[in-house]
């Protein structure tokens, strides 16, 4: 069994807790209070900025063309996501210029910043992968089940 599968299976209970949280279920059902969604988008913007910087540093530390190409594509994807968040911010009346980072977001972005500055490209990816996998899994789980609601 691949180590990634083994790690996912050994932590699947945590993933299910995230999926079944009041917040995620509120997005799914469409009854999440708007202020919580606004807060999420503003914090996710900090998270995405941190990911963009980490990808940039991983590109600069990469030793082969394939890694540079792949990481550059991932960086482009995050850049596009930042633009999408700016569009959402206008739609949901969020002022990203007056946004304050929350402690949980700050802790993760500080961790990722430290790893990105001090460690290798592969270690940067190790620091990013759990978040990417969980977000992707939750997104795929919800994409089949979200009704026509404001958060779709």
């Amino acid at each position: 069994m691949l180590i990634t599968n083994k790690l996912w299976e050994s932590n699947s209970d945590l993933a299910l807790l995230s999926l079944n949280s009041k917040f995620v279920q509120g997005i799914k059902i469409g009854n999440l209070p708007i202020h919580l969604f606004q807060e999420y988008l503003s914090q996710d913007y900090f998270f995405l900025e941190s990911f963009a910087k980490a990808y940039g540093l991983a590109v600069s530390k990469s030793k082969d063309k394939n890694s540079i190409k792949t990481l550059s594509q991932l960086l482009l994807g995050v850049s596009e996501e930042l633009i999408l968040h700016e569009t959402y911010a206008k739609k949901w009346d969020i002022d990203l210029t007056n946004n304050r980072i929350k402690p949980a977001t700050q802790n993760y972005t500080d961790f990722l910043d430290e790893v990105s500055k001090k460690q290798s490209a592969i270690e940067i990816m190790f620091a990013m992968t759990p978040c990417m996998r969980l977000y992707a899994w939750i997104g795929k789980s919800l994409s089949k089940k979200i009704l026509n609601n404001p958060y779709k």
Side-chain angles (χ1 to χ4, degrees):
M1 176 185 284
L2 292 174
I3 190 164
T4 54
N5 292 342
K6 193 179 279 188
L7 289 170
W8 183 261
E9 284 182 16
S10 67
N11 290 285
S12 63
D13 58 330
L14 296 173
L16 284 171
L17 281 173
S18 295
L19 179 64
N20 294 320
S21 70
K22 199 172 179 179
F23 176 82
V24 173
Q25 292 303 304
I27 289 175
K28 174 183 165 184
I29 296 166
N31 67 356
L32 183 74
I34 290 174
H35 75 278
L36 293 178
F37 189 72
Q38 291 168 319
E39 183 177 297
Y40 159 73
L41 280 177
S42 64
Q43 293 306 297
D44 199 45
Y45 196 79
F46 286 118
F47 175 84
L48 289 169
E49 287 177 324
S50 179
F51 257 52
K53 291 173 189 174
Y55 277 133
L57 287 168
V59 168
S60 74
K61 295 177 178 189
S62 293
K63 307 218 183 289
D64 64 274
K65 290 179 188 177
N66 190 46
S67 294
I68 292 169
K69 182 180 177 182
T70 300
L71 291 168
S72 294
Q73 290 170 339
L74 290 167
L75 175 56
L76 179 61
V78 170
S79 299
E80 291 168 354
E81 188 77 11
L82 282 165
I83 292 167
L84 184 62
H85 272 53
E86 290 166 2
T87 303
Y88 286 154
K90 289 177 188 171
K91 177 182 176 181
W92 291 95
D93 196 29
I94 302 165
D95 181 4
L96 293 173
T97 61
N98 194 25
N99 189 18
R100 294 187 192 267
I101 194 166
K102 301 253 179 193
T105 307
Q106 185 75 63
N107 288 341
Y108 179 74
T109 58
D110 285 351
F111 161 74
L112 188 54
D113 186 53
E114 185 174 333
V115 169
S116 299
K117 289 177 180 173
K118 295 180 180 177
Q119 304 298 327
S120 69
I122 193 70
E123 290 165 309
I124 295 168
M125 298 312 301
F126 286 152
M128 298 171 80
T129 298
C131 289
M132 291 186 291
R133 289 284 310 264
L134 183 61
Y135 263 51
W137 181 77
I138 288 173
K140 285 179 185 174
S141 298
L142 292 181
S143 69
K144 302 169 197 159
K145 300 172 185 168
I146 288 186
L147 304 172
N148 192 14
N149 72 52
Y151 305 120
K152 186 172 182 165

